[in-house]
Amino acid sequence: MKKLIILFLFTLISFFGNSQTLNEETSVLLDSLNKYKFTNYNKALNYGLQALEINDPEEISINIFDINAGLGEILFYQNNYAKSIEYYLTALNLHNLLPIKDRRYKYVNEPPWILVALGNLYYKIERFEIAKMKYLEAIDNFNLIEDEFISSKINGLSTSKNNLALVYSSLGDFQKAESQYKEVLESRKKTGKKSVIIFQYMMMMQFYYKFNMHETGDDLYDLATSLYNELKYRNKGDSLEEIKIWYSYVLSVYGSNLLKLKKIKQALISLNESKKIIVAQNHNTTVYPDVNLEIAKCYYELQSYNKAENALVESLSSDNLVSEPKPINFNSDKRRLEKLLFLSTIYNVQGKETEVIKIKDSIIKTYQRQDNLDF
């Protein structure tokens, strides 16, 4: 009998010991996924897949939920939407199976950030009605988050409403879009966080410029500039870095609108100032419009074709898109395609026929792969 008890205790200790080791290993792999998901997609992807591989396929835990959500996010940024949605839906199902005590947010019906991610995915492929539904569901669930997570709650509501405004704007519903933007601006002002207020000014500038309300957009530019000038000598550290990055976006949007209005020299001043901040902060901007592309367009308008060419080649060279297309699915990356096409236009004007052929070959090789978006 004593031997049986000892054997049972040994088995129990071994089970819990192995389980604890597995949990720790999974947690480390999740940390690595999060560390690299914005800087090295393939590395982050490998960590996530490894974490799923070492766990039982039937395992249900908050870590496995987070890993599936992370993989969905990485694949979204790689434009692999069909695979991305698989992982997002798996995360959604895992959340529903998690005991309430193990959930991050105890009172939500569905994980709101996953709903935002799904909305982003459907917005990206222009299924606006589904995207709108997901953002509205996200808003409902963010409102159910406990007060101890108030920062995440406010951030989530602001993000969802901004994204909802983008949908309304895409559908041509000016009033509903404007209402959402204004609501978010008031919410951000109440938080007192200056960097996100500047970000919100930038979002609203894009919106008003899109609808040719240039004076309203310029008023927001003035507000953002005034706030930036007030803060740039007072704030330090991460707060100042964030403020500078968002203000560089403001300058980019403002410069792009000046270009549209054919105020080329003024546009160049604003766009070059934006680029200067981006370079100083070592920040790879994801804002649309693209600073380098807009600078190239300015030089093109001024018939400074060599400068226009240099601006684009510099921008494209980091991805080797001109001479060595990477075997990655870029078919949905409209910005890179736009750069290549505009560079081809510049080469045409310069009479560089050989370079035009190279660009066209690059476009064909890079974009010939088509994503399966039927989901």
Side-chain angles (χ1 to χ4, degrees), residues 182-247:
K182 285 183 174 180
E183 195 174 318
V184 174
L185 179 59
E186 290 309 308
S187 174
R188 292 198 187 281
K189 283 180 177 178
K190 287 177 183 175
T191 67
K193 190 175 181 183
K194 307 302 183 183
S195 60
V196 294
I197 296 172
I198 291 175
F199 169 82
Q200 193 63 26
Y201 286 146
M202 181 273 295
M203 291 289 291
M204 295 175 75
M205 284 168 61
Q206 283 185 310
F207 169 68
Y208 285 118
Y209 288 150
K210 176 183 176 180
F211 287 93
N212 295 316
M213 296 180 65
H214 304 292
E215 287 187 14
T216 308
D218 288 351
D219 288 343
L220 288 162
Y221 166 76
D222 289 339
L223 288 170
T225 300
S226 176
L227 183 56
Y228 174 72
N229 288 333
E230 175 191 332
L231 297 169
K232 64 181 178 181
Y233 298 116
R234 286 177 20 196
N235 291 61
K236 294 181 181 179
D238 293 342
S239 173
L240 179 59
E241 182 178 345
E242 196 175 339
I243 286 165
K244 285 184 174 181
I245 287 168
W246 291 136
Y247 186 64

Side-chain angles (χ1 to χ4, degrees), residues 18 29 80 102 129 155 194 199 226 329 342 360:
N18 290 337
L29 289 168
N80 192 341
D102 293 338
E129 289 297 334
N155 184 34
K194 307 302 183 183
F199 169 82
S226 176
N329 175 18
F342 193 64
K360 289 182 177 178

Side-chain angles (χ1 to χ4, degrees), residues 209-335:
Y209 288 150
K210 176 183 176 180
F211 287 93
N212 295 316
M213 296 180 65
H214 304 292
E215 287 187 14
T216 308
D218 288 351
D219 288 343
L220 288 162
Y221 166 76
D222 289 339
L223 288 170
T225 300
S226 176
L227 183 56
Y228 174 72
N229 288 333
E230 175 191 332
L231 297 169
K232 64 181 178 181
Y233 298 116
R234 286 177 20 196
N235 291 61
K236 294 181 181 179
D238 293 342
S239 173
L240 179 59
E241 182 178 345
E242 196 175 339
I243 286 165
K244 285 184 174 181
I245 287 168
W246 291 136
Y247 186 64
S248 76
Y249 283 35
V250 168
L251 290 166
S252 176
V253 172
Y254 181 63
S256 179
N257 192 61
L258 289 171
L259 171 60
K260 190 168 76 171
L261 296 174
K262 301 298 181 183
K263 298 179 180 180
I264 310 302
K265 292 182 179 179
Q266 290 174 260
L268 262 177
I269 292 170
S270 184
L271 292 165
N272 278 316
E273 184 62 27
S274 173
K275 184 175 180 178
K276 182 180 175 182
I277 295 173
I278 290 164
V279 171
Q281 299 303 122
N282 194 26
H283 178 68
N284 182 21
T285 178
T286 57
V287 73
Y288 188 88
D290 182 276
V291 176
N292 290 303
L293 178 58
E294 298 301 290
I295 288 173
K297 288 178 180 178
C298 287
Y299 284 131
Y300 183 85
E301 290 292 327
L302 295 171
Q303 298 184 5
S304 299
Y305 302 123
N306 288 339
K307 287 184 178 180
E309 175 192 351
N310 291 338
L312 284 179
V313 170
E314 177 193 344
S315 178
L316 291 165
S317 61
S318 60
D319 293 316
N320 294 320
L321 285 171
V322 177
S323 56
E324 300 176 18
K326 293 181 180 180
I328 300 174
N329 175 18
F330 282 138
N331 67 294
S332 295
D333 193 338
K334 295 177 183 177
R335 185 189 308 180

Side-chain angles (χ1 to χ4, degrees), residues 75-124:
L75 290 163
F76 172 80
Y77 289 125
Q78 287 187 317
N79 300 320
N80 192 341
Y81 303 133
K83 275 289 180 187
S84 173
I85 198 170
E86 284 183 22
Y87 285 103
Y88 279 143
L89 291 176
T90 298
L92 207 60
N93 291 331
L94 281 167
H95 178 269
N96 293 333
L97 294 170
L98 272 172
I100 290 176
K101 66 180 179 63
D102 293 338
R103 295 179 184 179
R104 185 168 289 111
Y105 308 124
K106 306 294 190 262
Y107 303 118
V108 300
N109 297 313
E110 291 185 294
W113 285 111
I114 297 295
L115 295 171
V116 170
L118 288 169
N120 294 345
L121 197 153
Y122 283 112
Y123 178 81
K124 183 81 170 180

